[in-house]
């Protein structure tokens, strides 16, 4: 699934909220501690990780690609 952004980047926490994977930004820390999230095939637990165009995110068996 493509996720379109109009800025240089979004954070992983913003991405999780934008895609309705979490209800609010405060849930990101706990979600990332309890759920495997991969960014470009690497396990990621930092909610502040910057996602840029072309990045691939895998969460809950769903793949997302950041696009513009």
């Amino acid at each position: 699934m493509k996720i379109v952004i109009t800025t240089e980047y979004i954070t992983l926490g913003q991405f999780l909220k934008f895609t309705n994977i979490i209800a609010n930004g405060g849930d990101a820390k706990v979600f990332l501690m309890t759920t495997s999230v991969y960014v470009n095939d690497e396990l990621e637990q930092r909610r502040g990780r910057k996602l840029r165009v072309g990045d691939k995110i895998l969460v809950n068996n769903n793949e997302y690609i950041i696009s513009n």
Side-chain angles (χ1 to χ4, degrees):
M1 175 183 294
K2 286 187 179 180
I3 303 298
V4 177
I5 63 171
T6 57
T7 57
E8 180 182 349
Y9 66 86
I10 62 170
T11 65
L12 182 55
Q14 290 170 325
F15 164 82
L16 293 171
K17 185 177 174 190
F18 178 76
T19 54
N20 293 317
I21 295 171
I22 60 173
N24 60 59
D27 295 340
K29 185 175 182 178
V30 173
F31 182 83
L32 291 169
M33 289 172 47
T34 59
T35 306
S36 295
V37 176
Y38 292 87
V39 176
N40 298 328
D41 299 321
E42 294 181 13
L43 185 62
E44 185 59 72
Q45 293 182 316
R46 298 173 293 165
R47 65 180 177 212
R49 165 73 185 261
K50 294 177 181 174
L51 304 175
R52 301 174 190 277
V53 172
D55 283 346
K56 179 178 71 172
I57 300 94
L58 180 65
V59 58
N60 294 335
N61 294 319
N62 293 310
E63 184 175 277
Y64 303 86
I65 297 178
I66 304 297
S67 175
N68 59 359

